[in-house]
Amino acid sequence: MHTSPRLKNSSTKMISQTIRNAAMLLLAIAAITTSLLWLQATVNRRPQVALSWLYIPEHFDAGSPFFALAEVQGRGATEVFLQLRICGPDGTCVHSSRQLIDNLDEPAIVTARRDLHPDDYLVQVLVQTRTYLGVVRTVASGEGKARYGS
Amino acid sequence: MAHRLPTLVESLARTARLMLIAFISLTAIFALWWPAGVAVLAGDVFSSSRIRLSTRLARWFGVLLFAIASVWIVLQLPYVFQDLVAGLRSAGYLFHPNALGTSMLSSLLMLAAVADRLYFLRALAMVAASIALLLVVASGSRSILVGLLLALIAVVLAPLWARGSTSARLAVALAGLGIMIIFAAVQYLRFGELGTFFVSFERLPLYSTALDLISSAPLTGLGANAWQLHINEVEPSFPQDHAPHPHSVLLQFMIEGGVTGTVLIMVLLANWVIQLLRAESWASQTFRILAILVITALAVQSFADVTLMHPSSYIPLACAAFFRVCTGPAPVTGEVTPQ
């Protein structure tokens, strides 16, 4: 079948235009992705703190508070918090309030009193610091299973 | 039929359409398919088609849309009045005051879109639009306020519509300024200060966490409902019940569809808006400026919230666009506005 040079020319033009546009879009995607990763690394920069050791009891009496003992180590952190996260078998979780650690490198205790029905719970200890923009974020965690109630 | 060369945005949109189809197909293999992409694609394909309603059908359809929007706006009044008496930001019939704000702006655009074609509805449209604007004020949405402020600056300064009549631009600018003065006065009388008026710092922890979530899959995103499914993996202390979404349409797109999906969708949305505004050269200047004002305010608001993704906001917008596209260039009744 004969194709007129004009049509051939216009379809070639369209293909080259599509390739050029696709390249532009890919370039934009690459640039935005790189900027976003840089932004995330910069904005969410936070002092690194680690758990040295952690103790979570295996059983809590009904009505008594949940607690955990932890020691954290880290440098450059002006504020370090501990928070308990208690998750039931159905996956729903409750949080304690954040507790500021007075002295790093000394054992600290975090507690939570919650009205829960007797069952096995996953007790997590979250170690948190502030990012350079002042947002509190979790930097380390430890966990243990505990029976609550009878 | 005379052909014209496609503009840069049009040819980019053509490529973005193809790429988005490929992206949705590829990510579907990994269950990362997301409805937003398909919805935008469908809207884009539809708006570029040449479907036209007959004059009679367009008239009935327009009257129906107009009646629905008016009833929806008026129905909010008793609840809003009740909330205002109690000194609260009002959500009307909806779940959140911000949703009332975006829904009222979208409904306002729907009214204007119909009244710009069916001239006999103009007086009624002005009454309903005024009530809708007052309800936007009653919703007390800070993001909409900032959106309106930026939109106002855009309307007054941008060269895109500089050829329009000065009086129409001035009228819209004054109306917007009036809304903001009323809004600020209400805020001041209620709280006695304007400190928390412009900036929502409570969004910072959400955005910080959202950035971490995006960076875990920046190119493809994590798929539909990713916020609910994965937020506690990046931040275990996050109170999911209190923040069930990232409070930004842009971040929601990035989390679910990655940078790839977001860029492609943004190109298609930009094309859609530009096509609609440019093809509306037969529309009155007032409608065009109003459309720019509402679209800009909603776009800015969507940086700080996701209420635009609620049916009460996007359905009126979709109906307005559908009506404009389907009724074509000729006015259904009445005189043609001189350009």
Side-chain angles (χ1 to χ4, degrees):
Chain A
M1 203 174 103
H2 176 71
T3 313
S4 79
R6 202 175 153 185
L7 268 178
K8 203 174 170 183
N9 192 25
S10 97
S11 63
T12 314
K13 217 171 170 181
M14 202 169 154
I15 290 167
S16 70
Q17 194 186 42
T18 307
I19 293 170
R20 204 174 56 229
N21 287 340
M24 274 173 71
L25 286 170
L26 287 175
L27 205 66
I29 290 164
I32 294 171
T33 306
T34 313
S35 321
L36 208 67
L37 291 175
W38 174 83
L39 188 76
Q40 183 260 344
T42 310
V43 166
N44 285 348
R45 208 151 46 94
R46 46 203 180 238
Q48 284 308 304
V49 180
L51 267 173
S52 307
W53 62 265
L54 175 69
Y55 169 70
I56 300 169
E58 288 179 356
H59 182 263
F60 295 98
D61 291 331
S64 66
F66 286 86
F67 73 92
L69 277 168
E71 190 179 296
V72 294
Q73 282 184 329
R75 276 180 297 179
T78 48
E79 280 180 302
V80 177
F81 301 90
L82 286 181
Q83 187 175 27
L84 280 183
R85 183 172 187 246
I86 305 155
C87 300
D90 59 349
T92 55
C93 303
V94 289
H95 294 87
S96 74
S97 54
R98 290 187 174 120
Q99 284 170 240
L100 183 69
I101 299 180
D102 293 327
N103 292 311
L104 290 186
D105 304 328
E106 276 184 22
I109 189 163
V110 55
T111 60
R113 190 184 286 276
R114 291 287 181 273
D115 186 21
L116 298 170
H117 61 268
D119 213 328
D120 288 321
Y121 288 90
L122 182 73
V123 180
Q124 289 178 305
V125 175
L126 312 176
V127 183
Q128 298 158 338
T129 58
R130 283 192 193 278
T131 64
Y132 291 99
L133 280 183
V135 178
V136 176
R137 297 294 306 274
T138 302
V139 283
S141 67
E143 62 185 42
K145 282 199 167 165
R147 177 85 192 157
Y148 177 76
S150 56
Chain B
M1 191 180 157
H3 288 282
R4 60 174 177 78
L5 285 171
T7 63
L8 178 68
V9 177
E10 280 170 352
S11 63
L12 268 176
R14 196 182 293 153
T15 313
R17 211 172 290 150
L18 285 173
M19 285 173 76
L20 190 57
I21 292 167
F23 178 69
I24 289 170
S25 315
L26 280 173
T27 52
I29 299 166
F30 307 104
L32 293 178
W33 181 89
W34 48 308
V38 176
V40 170
L41 198 57
D44 178 72
V45 169
F46 172 76
S47 69
S48 60
S49 65
R50 300 270 185 268
I51 303 164
R52 291 280 182 271
L53 292 179
S54 70
T55 309
R56 179 193 282 260
L57 204 58
R59 175 194 278 257
W60 282 111
F61 183 55
V63 170
L64 181 71
L65 286 183
F66 192 90
I68 292 170
S70 306
V71 169
W72 174 241
I73 290 167
V74 173
L75 267 180
Q76 311 293 329
L77 284 172
Y79 282 85
V80 172
F81 184 71
Q82 208 174 326
D83 289 337
L84 285 182
V85 168
L88 300 168
R89 286 176 64 190
S90 184
Y93 266 114
L94 294 161
F95 59 96
H96 195 280
N98 287 355
L100 178 71
T102 48
S103 179
M104 288 303 104
L105 275 186
S106 310
S107 304
L108 191 152
L109 191 66
M110 188 162 124
L111 285 172
V114 176
D116 196 49
R117 284 278 190 280
L118 307 176
Y119 292 112
F120 61 94
L121 290 172
R122 270 185 298 185
L124 265 177
M126 285 181 81
V127 174
S130 307
I131 297 172
L133 280 176
L134 284 173
L135 296 184
V136 171
V137 173
S139 76
S141 168
R142 288 166 297 181
S143 44
I144 289 183
L145 177 86
V146 174
L148 278 172
L149 179 70
L150 292 177
L152 203 64
I153 294 167
V155 163
V156 176
L157 296 181
L160 186 67
W161 48 95
R163 284 168 295 161
S165 79
T166 312
S167 58
R169 270 190 291 152
L170 206 62
V172 174
L174 283 175
L177 203 63
I179 294 163
M180 275 185 295
I181 290 169
I182 295 170
F183 193 100
V186 168
Q187 293 276 318
Y188 187 76
L189 287 174
R190 199 187 301 158
F191 301 115
E193 53 94 24
L194 293 170
T196 58
F197 187 41
F198 289 104
V199 182
S200 297
F201 279 115
E202 73 269 23
R203 298 277 196 270
L204 207 56
L206 299 179
Y207 295 165
S208 159
T209 317
L211 267 179
D212 279 353
L213 201 55
I214 293 166
S215 64
S216 64
L219 280 175
T220 59
L222 292 161
N225 213 16
W227 178 267
Q228 291 276 0
L229 293 172
H230 303 291
I231 192 67
N232 282 134
E233 291 167 20
V234 294
E235 183 48 66
S237 70
F238 199 85
Q240 210 185 50
D241 295 343
H242 294 104
H245 50 73
H247 284 71
S248 166
V249 171
L250 192 70
L251 290 177
Q252 177 97 16
F253 276 0
M254 287 213 185
I255 290 166
E256 295 193 350
V259 176
T260 310
T262 309
V263 166
L264 297 177
I265 276 189
M266 287 300 150
V267 170
L268 291 186
L269 280 176
N271 177 53
W272 196 8
V273 171
I274 289 170
Q275 291 284 336
L276 204 65
L277 290 176
R278 201 189 42 209
E280 299 278 326
S281 57
W282 57 84
S284 70
Q285 279 300 327
T286 315
F287 172 75
R288 200 194 295 203
I289 293 172
L290 195 70
I292 291 164
L293 194 77
V294 170
I295 289 169
T296 312
L298 288 177
V300 172
Q301 201 269 347
S302 298
F303 277 97
D305 212 342
V306 295
T307 50
L308 194 65
M309 292 170 97
H310 190 261
S312 64
S313 296
Y314 69 74
I315 287 179
L317 275 186
C319 284
F322 178 78
F323 183 77
R324 298 301 285 191
V325 169
C326 288
T327 49
V332 178
T333 57
E335 78 274 23
V336 178
T337 310
Q339 296 296 309

